[in-house]
């Protein structure tokens, strides 16, 4: 089976890891297409806030990814949600 994933953001990479995890024994080929360059070559200016339940969700899909995030992420003491009114 051939699968094409368009976009290597959170959704695309989650789809990739889920497919690899749940269809590991099948004849699966996955190709990911992304409009931005490889990490470190393009500055997008984005960040990601990840609450504990989000990290648990990532760990259920890819334990290696969760360990990488914990080892390389920057913990923040405050997590605030705001809307367009401030």
């Amino acid at each position: 089976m051939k699968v094409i994933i368009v976009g290597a953001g959170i959704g695309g990479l989650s789809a990739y890891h889920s497919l690899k995890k749940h269809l590991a024994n099948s004849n699966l080929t996955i190709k990911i297409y992304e409009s931005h360059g490889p990490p470190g070559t393009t500055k997008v200016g984005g960040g990601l806030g990840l609450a504990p339940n989000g990290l648990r969700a990532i760990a259920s899909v890819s334990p290696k990814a969760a360990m990488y995030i914990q080892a390389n992420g920057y913990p923040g003491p405050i997590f605030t949600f705001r809307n367009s009114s401030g």
Side-chain angles (χ1 to χ4, degrees), residues 13-82:
L13 295 179
S14 294
Y16 170 83
H17 283 288
S18 292
L19 289 168
K20 292 294 266 185
K21 178 180 179 180
H22 296 290
L23 300 175
N25 296 328
S26 67
N27 185 15
L28 181 66
T29 302
I30 302 174
K31 186 85 170 178
I32 300 176
Y33 291 93
E34 173 57 53
S35 62
H36 297 289
T41 62
T42 304
K43 292 188 179 181
V44 178
L48 175 66
L50 192 59
N53 62 335
L55 187 58
R56 284 191 303 272
I58 289 172
S60 73
V61 173
S62 174
K64 283 178 66 175
M67 289 189 304
Y68 179 86
I69 291 167
Q70 287 180 313
N72 295 288
Y74 299 99
I78 299 173
F79 201 87
T80 304
F81 291 96
R82 297 179 186 249

